[in-house]
Amino acid sequence: MRLSKFFLPLLKENPVEAQIVSHRLMLRAGLIKQEASGLYSWLPLGLRVLDKVETIVSEELEKAGCVRLLMPTLQSTDLWKESGRYDALGKEMLRFNDRHERELLYSPTCEEMIVNIFRTFVKSYKQLPLNLFQIQWKFRDEIRPRFGVMRGREFYMKDGYSFHSSLEDATREYANMYDAYHAIFKRLGLTSIAVAADSGAIGGNLSHEFQVLAENGESQVYYDPAFDDIRDGKLNVTSEQMRELYAAADELHDPAKCPVPADKLRTARGIEVGHIFLLGTKYTDAMNVDVTDADGKPLRVQMGTYGIGVSRLLGAIIEASHDEGGIIWPENVAPYQVGLINMRANDEECTKAAEEIYSKLHLAGVETLYDDTDDSAGKKFAGMDLIGLPWQLVVGPRGVKSGVVELKNRKTGEKVEVSFAEAIERVSATTPKKLAA
Amino acid sequence: MRLSKFFLPLLKENPVEAQIVSHRLMLRAGLIKQEASGLYSWLPLGLRVLDKVETIVSEELEKAGCVRLLMPTLQSTDLWKESGRYDALGKEMLRFNDRHERELLYSPTCEEMIVNIFRTFVKSYKQLPLNLFQIQWKFRDEIRPRFGVMRGREFYMKDGYSFHSSLEDATREYANMYDAYHAIFKRLGLTSIAVAADSGAIGGNLSHEFQVLAENGESQVYYDPAFDDIRDGKLNVTSEQMRELYAAADELHDPAKCPVPADKLRTARGIEVGHIFLLGTKYTDAMNVDVTDADGKPLRVQMGTYGIGVSRLLGAIIEASHDEGGIIWPENVAPYQVGLINMRANDEECTKAAEEIYSKLHLAGVETLYDDTDDSAGKKFAGMDLIGLPWQLVVGPRGVKSGVVELKNRKTGEKVEVSFAEAIERVSATTPKKLAA
């Protein structure tokens, strides 16, 4: 993509309303624009990252056997009266009447609707297990929306729901999702830890919160030092063994009951990005959901529910990966893999070289943002650092004369002078490929 | 995808509430489920088609130079008071208060918000032209939602908006979008015609509606016979010449003014799926939007706006492409390219052959829905016809013994017996490829 044809409004100044670094950087790097309290537009660069995060979440869940569907953002309140949650959610649930005075709500979560879909179509234990998920906009009318997309009102969420003929099978799927979530966060370039959690308004028997570790995380996390060894590859454990290691956030950490000695216990700051619940029959009891068992008798269905804050993840990734100059995108979610800078758009040879490299990167399937504008070199460098693409490829008049360009790694800051061909080769070899638009 | 692991609830009976064929088939083929009046869930098979349609619309627009972003579904009503449309849209626009009694609306269209994004960031004529689009859920509180996704309340829409420094340049982009829309509908496997249209509540100087031709279309379309020759490849015209040919729908067709003699005039039924408007300064006047020109003086910005009903397109495709047995998906939007039927899941050799073919199709990148259930052959055949995948590949015990399978083309009904290898080769050679999930 040529920057001259793109829409990338960068801000020089730090926006006063942004209190945390990810919010500041998302506004400054032209990823989002606030439209009203807790409501954001995703500008083109931000939308590209959101799409990549969505694709990774979806692909990993499909790999784990989940099936994707999509429910509408609005729904009737009837099912919520049936489940008993109509009153439980209070003012955070946005309710209103349509033109016929029928009450609707903007879904904050979809247990009721999916249970209704399930009971409409699934009648036999033979059709189980089933794990359905969607990625859809949700709304929670937060009393004080803040921190940008980290605590917005309209947010993009992955919500999954599984159905089982026994609690044992639901527990097996809970472990499957526990593993899938770790795979998702790892592929997103994040260090995550699953902590024991309270099941709150969703309900159920067992629950884990997935926290992304980041210096300015909102909660304090306490965990067994073995987690660090697992991450460093020094220790191999099964997923079951991992679930038995101690890990808890603020609210549930009790020093008196913690099995890890205080001097060994590790702590870190974390941002909650996912939550899984073994539900049991909370909703299927309330909504009377049975299938027939092998003998033709009614069998109460067991459930699990699994959420990931997809839009929130962008904030979490930036909190975990940035420096003074701006964002540092992990390769798998970077909006483009390389920023190609033409230092002198008015220099004929320089432009010819930049154009040639741009077209070769395109052919190699490397997603490239090409700064072909006549801005100053200083502005171009600062802009590229701010938006945080993994590689920068700088084409300047001096280098072009000797057939070299400068290749900069955004994360390490390392710069090398290499031939055009080698620059293309290096970038192309180390980045995920997709035909560039 | 194995059918035993998928979620595909097919209906045997015609649902009584469905008055038109696309609505009936979408319910029966397990594509959608109604959740409330005009609100639909997209079941897994339907969502796959919706995704493909979305991808084609998005890719073609990006090819034509448009840049994608995403606005929230909800917005404040403030900008609509500024533009003067707060009162114009009446009860079709869903309005409600949040917990702080601030009025919000569920966007039916986004001229106001995009104009506000534009004026926030774009200050100079040098940044023009700019064509921004989104594909996002919209809501119109139709008084009588009907015909399934053809006239739902919550619907998926592509809305694009372009900004220009002269009316001449806006007119150039209007022609660019006119061509892009034809390319989109062609790639979706549809025959479309652009008719002169009324610009209604959106406003502006010039407008075309894009109608998909289908026997049971909602409107009558009158057009110059040259359009049929263009489609048949008998006549070559420029896009400008095409726009000058006569074509009008019901409301705007005036026999007295029609330049085509009555005996030459062609008519057909059409379904509106897109609408483009040359807006001029309607919104930029109301919202005071200028950029600075080359002399530093204020220049009023010219606009165009361009819509496509993405969810509605699924209904239109089915209206245009079905038979007694069910849907016939055009290859580019088919949820899977081939339905692999194992006629005898309890026959060891038959299952071995089916599994082998399934894994080879997967390796060849052919999206396959594999009916591995123990349903009867008759039920499997009827189900595959109903869901309308381009190819059916039938593995039966008799054929397996002699090393052949039956390959059926859903559209022509043609069946041939071929070797396993040839079946895979044929399907793989004629279908768009994508790594199957």
Side-chain angles (χ1 to χ4, degrees):
Chain A
M1 171 63 70
R2 285 169 196 276
L3 189 56
S4 62
K5 308 275 180 198
F6 198 49
F7 180 58
L8 180 62
L10 303 184
L11 307 184
K12 258 187 250 169
E13 310 296 333
N14 273 326
V16 287
E17 74 270 30
Q19 301 163 40
I20 61 170
V21 67
S22 59
H23 189 192
R24 266 201 306 273
L25 287 173
M26 288 185 81
L27 291 168
R28 286 197 50 211
L31 303 179
I32 55 170
K33 174 183 176 295
Q34 181 173 318
E35 299 299 351
S37 173
L39 300 179
Y40 291 87
S41 281
W42 294 79
L43 301 178
L45 199 71
L47 181 59
R48 286 183 71 92
V49 182
L50 189 67
D51 276 349
K52 295 202 174 185
V53 172
E54 174 177 355
T55 300
I56 288 173
V57 170
S58 186
E59 283 181 0
E60 291 296 326
L61 291 172
E62 288 179 344
K63 245 192 252 173
C66 307
V67 177
R68 189 168 175 177
L69 45 61
L70 187 69
M71 292 175 267
T73 61
L74 302 191
Q75 53 174 300
S76 156
T77 54
D78 294 352
L79 294 172
W80 292 68
K81 289 173 185 160
E82 190 182 344
S83 74
R85 286 208 299 179
Y86 180 78
D87 296 315
L89 269 87
K91 285 197 165 184
E92 288 210 350
M93 184 155 86
L94 189 64
R95 294 161 233 230
F96 41 85
N97 289 335
D98 69 10
R99 67 190 295 169
H100 298 299
E101 301 300 328
R102 280 176 302 219
E103 197 181 37
L104 298 174
L105 61 89
Y106 199 121
S107 310
T109 174
C110 290
E111 280 78 8
E112 284 78 359
M113 196 186 283
I114 199 86
V115 166
N116 189 50
I117 290 173
F118 178 88
R119 72 181 172 185
T120 303
F121 296 120
V122 181
K123 305 295 181 189
S124 161
Y125 76 101
K126 286 188 195 166
Q127 294 166 271
L128 301 181
L130 188 61
N131 190 334
L132 301 170
F133 77 101
Q134 69 168 348
I135 303 178
Q136 176 61 300
W137 293 95
K138 307 284 188 308
F139 197 90
R140 276 184 207 156
D141 205 355
E142 295 270 356
I143 195 158
R144 263 188 313 278
R146 59 195 183 283
F147 307 149
V149 300
M150 296 277 276
R151 196 169 282 276
R153 293 197 291 171
E154 189 173 323
F155 57 99
Y156 207 38
M157 182 174 159
K158 188 288 287 187
D159 42 326
Y161 310 89
S162 70
F163 301 89
H164 308 272
S165 52
S166 69
L167 188 59
E168 195 187 354
D169 192 61
T171 308
R172 175 203 54 71
E173 185 65 12
Y174 183 88
N176 183 35
M177 287 298 101
Y178 180 95
D179 293 346
Y181 274 39
H182 277 301
I184 288 169
F185 300 126
K186 191 174 174 191
R187 201 169 145 198
L188 292 172
L190 293 167
T191 302
S192 67
I193 194 164
V195 303
D198 190 15
S199 49
I202 302 285
N205 315 329
L206 174 62
S207 129
H208 279 93
E209 262 176 31
F210 286 77
Q211 300 267 351
V212 163
L213 302 189
E215 230 171 86
N216 299 309
E218 60 205 345
S219 37
Q220 189 76 20
V221 178
Y222 301 84
Y223 62 94
D224 193 304
F227 280 107
D228 287 338
D229 293 337
I230 295 167
R231 262 195 298 275
D232 295 344
K234 289 182 197 150
L235 182 64
N236 264 318
V237 294
T238 64
S239 136
E240 206 182 331
Q241 289 166 330
M242 203 201 283
R243 288 200 308 283
E244 279 167 10
L245 292 173
Y246 185 82
D250 299 341
E251 326 82 78
L252 285 194
H253 174 59
D254 180 351
K257 290 186 185 161
C258 177
V260 183
D263 62 326
K264 296 244 165 98
L265 194 66
R266 302 268 162 95
T267 73
R269 303 298 297 179
I271 299 166
E272 188 199 337
V273 290
H275 207 152
I276 61 177
F277 302 86
L278 181 64
L279 279 178
T281 57
K282 177 181 153 101
Y283 293 90
T284 50
D285 282 343
M287 296 174 71
N288 257 313
V289 185
D290 294 326
V291 289
T292 51
D293 69 10
D295 302 320
K297 287 187 201 140
L299 176 74
R300 186 62 23 119
V301 172
Q302 301 280 338
M303 285 182 68
T305 178
Y306 320 95
I308 291 179
V310 174
S311 46
R312 167 170 254 249
L313 267 168
L314 274 82
I317 292 169
I318 295 173
E319 289 292 337
S321 185
H322 67 272
D323 65 12
E324 289 284 292
I327 300 167
I328 302 171
W329 289 116
E331 282 169 2
N332 287 340
V333 299
Y336 294 92
Q337 292 305 321
V338 56
L340 174 63
I341 297 177
N342 180 357
M343 268 176 71
R344 289 264 181 85
N346 57 1
D347 177 305
E348 203 175 311
E349 278 191 50
C350 206
T351 297
K352 199 182 142 211
E355 292 285 334
E356 188 190 318
I357 293 170
Y358 180 54
S359 107
K360 287 193 174 154
L361 285 167
H362 183 83
L363 284 175
V366 178
E367 295 173 310
T368 305
L369 183 64
Y370 169 26
D371 189 343
D372 61 341
T373 66
D374 53 11
D375 286 338
S376 71
K379 191 174 170 189
K380 290 183 179 186
F381 292 141
M384 280 295 176
D385 277 354
L386 178 61
I387 67 171
L389 310 181
W391 296 99
Q392 292 171 21
L393 214 159
V394 184
V395 183
R398 199 183 43 80
V400 164
K401 283 207 197 338
S402 42
V404 296
V405 290
E406 186 184 274
L407 182 64
K408 175 177 162 182
N409 182 297
R410 174 65 183 89
K411 191 173 176 181
T412 63
E414 192 200 357
K415 295 176 187 176
V416 287
E417 287 214 327
V418 291
S419 70
F420 296 2
E422 192 179 340
I424 293 163
E425 175 63 32
R426 280 216 202 179
V427 170
S428 166
T430 60
T431 59
K433 280 183 203 86
K434 196 184 159 188
L435 284 175
Chain B
M1 172 62 69
R2 286 169 194 275
L3 189 56
S4 62
K5 309 274 180 199
F6 198 49
F7 180 58
L8 180 62
L10 304 183
L11 307 182
K12 260 188 244 165
E13 309 295 333
N14 273 325
V16 288
E17 74 269 29
Q19 301 164 41
I20 61 169
V21 67
S22 59
H23 188 191
R24 266 201 305 274
L25 288 173
M26 288 185 81
L27 291 169
R28 286 196 51 210
L31 303 179
I32 55 170
K33 174 184 176 294
Q34 182 174 317
E35 299 299 350
S37 173
L39 300 180
Y40 291 88
S41 281
W42 293 80
L43 301 178
L45 199 72
L47 181 59
R48 286 183 70 93
V49 183
L50 189 66
D51 276 348
K52 295 203 174 185
V53 172
E54 173 177 354
T55 300
I56 288 173
V57 170
S58 186
E59 283 180 0
E60 291 296 326
L61 290 173
E62 288 179 344
K63 243 191 254 175
C66 306
V67 176
R68 189 169 176 177
L69 46 59
L70 188 69
M71 293 174 268
T73 61
L74 302 191
Q75 53 173 299
S76 155
T77 54
D78 294 352
L79 294 171
W80 292 68
K81 288 174 184 160
E82 189 181 346
S83 75
R85 285 209 298 179
Y86 180 78
D87 295 315
L89 268 86
K91 285 197 166 184
E92 289 210 350
M93 184 154 88
L94 189 64
R95 292 162 236 228
F96 41 85
N97 289 335
D98 69 11
R99 68 189 296 167
H100 297 300
E101 301 300 327
R102 280 175 303 219
E103 197 179 38
L104 297 174
L105 62 89
Y106 199 121
S107 310
T109 173
C110 290
E111 279 77 9
E112 284 77 359
M113 196 185 284
I114 199 85
V115 166
N116 189 49
I117 290 173
F118 178 88
R119 72 180 172 185
T120 303
F121 296 120
V122 181
K123 305 296 180 188
S124 159
Y125 76 101
K126 285 189 194 166
Q127 295 166 270
L128 301 180
L130 188 59
N131 190 334
L132 300 170
F133 76 102
Q134 69 168 346
I135 302 178
Q136 176 61 300
W137 294 96
K138 308 284 190 307
F139 197 92
R140 276 182 207 156
D141 205 356
E142 295 270 357
I143 195 159
R144 264 189 313 278
R146 58 194 183 282
F147 307 149
V149 301
M150 297 279 275
R151 195 170 285 274
R153 292 197 291 170
E154 189 172 323
F155 58 99
Y156 208 37
M157 183 175 159
K158 188 288 290 188
D159 42 324
Y161 309 88
S162 70
F163 301 88
H164 308 272
S165 52
S166 69
L167 187 59
E168 194 186 355
D169 191 61
T171 308
R172 175 203 54 72
E173 185 65 13
Y174 184 89
N176 183 35
M177 288 297 102
Y178 180 95
D179 293 346
Y181 273 39
H182 278 302
I184 288 169
F185 300 127
K186 191 173 174 189
R187 203 170 143 198
L188 292 171
L190 295 167
T191 302
S192 67
I193 194 165
V195 304
D198 190 13
S199 48
I202 303 285
N205 315 327
L206 173 62
S207 129
H208 279 93
E209 261 175 31
F210 287 77
Q211 300 267 351
V212 163
L213 301 190
E215 231 171 84
N216 299 310
E218 62 205 343
S219 38
Q220 189 76 21
V221 178
Y222 302 85
Y223 62 94
D224 193 303
F227 279 106
D228 287 337
D229 293 337
I230 295 167
R231 261 195 298 276
D232 296 343
K234 290 183 195 148
L235 182 65
N236 264 317
V237 296
T238 64
S239 136
E240 203 181 335
Q241 288 166 329
M242 203 200 284
R243 289 199 309 282
E244 278 167 10
L245 293 173
Y246 185 81
D250 300 341
E251 327 81 78
L252 285 194
H253 174 60
D254 181 351
K257 289 185 184 161
C258 176
V260 183
D263 63 328
K264 297 247 165 94
L265 193 66
R266 301 269 163 94
T267 74
R269 302 298 298 179
I271 299 166
E272 188 198 338
V273 289
H275 207 150
I276 61 177
F277 303 86
L278 182 64
L279 278 179
T281 58
K282 178 181 152 101
Y283 293 90
T284 49
D285 282 345
M287 297 173 70
N288 258 312
V289 185
D290 294 326
V291 290
T292 51
D293 70 9
D295 302 321
K297 286 189 202 139
L299 177 73
R300 185 60 26 118
V301 173
Q302 300 280 339
M303 284 183 68
T305 177
Y306 321 95
I308 291 180
V310 174
S311 45
R312 167 170 255 248
L313 267 168
L314 274 83
I317 292 169
I318 296 173
E319 290 292 336
S321 185
H322 67 271
D323 64 14
E324 289 285 291
I327 300 167
I328 302 170
W329 289 117
E331 282 169 1
N332 286 340
V333 300
Y336 294 92
Q337 292 305 320
V338 57
L340 172 64
I341 297 178
N342 180 358
M343 268 176 73
R344 289 262 182 86
N346 56 2
D347 178 304
E348 202 176 311
E349 277 191 51
C350 206
T351 297
K352 199 182 141 209
E355 292 286 336
E356 187 190 320
I357 294 170
Y358 180 54
S359 107
K360 286 193 175 154
L361 285 167
H362 183 84
L363 284 174
V366 179
E367 293 171 312
T368 306
L369 183 64
Y370 169 26
D371 189 342
D372 59 342
T373 66
D374 53 11
D375 286 338
S376 71
K379 191 175 169 190
K380 289 184 179 186
F381 292 142
M384 279 296 177
D385 277 355
L386 178 60
I387 67 172
L389 310 181
W391 296 100
Q392 293 170 19
L393 214 158
V394 184
V395 183
R398 199 183 45 79
V400 164
K401 283 205 196 338
S402 42
V404 296
V405 289
E406 186 184 273
L407 183 64
K408 175 177 163 183
N409 183 297
R410 173 68 183 89
K411 190 173 176 180
T412 63
E414 194 200 354
K415 295 175 188 176
V416 287
E417 286 213 326
V418 290
S419 69
F420 296 1
E422 193 178 340
I424 293 163
E425 175 64 31
R426 281 217 203 177
V427 170
S428 164
T430 61
T431 60
K433 278 181 207 91
K434 195 185 160 189
L435 283 177

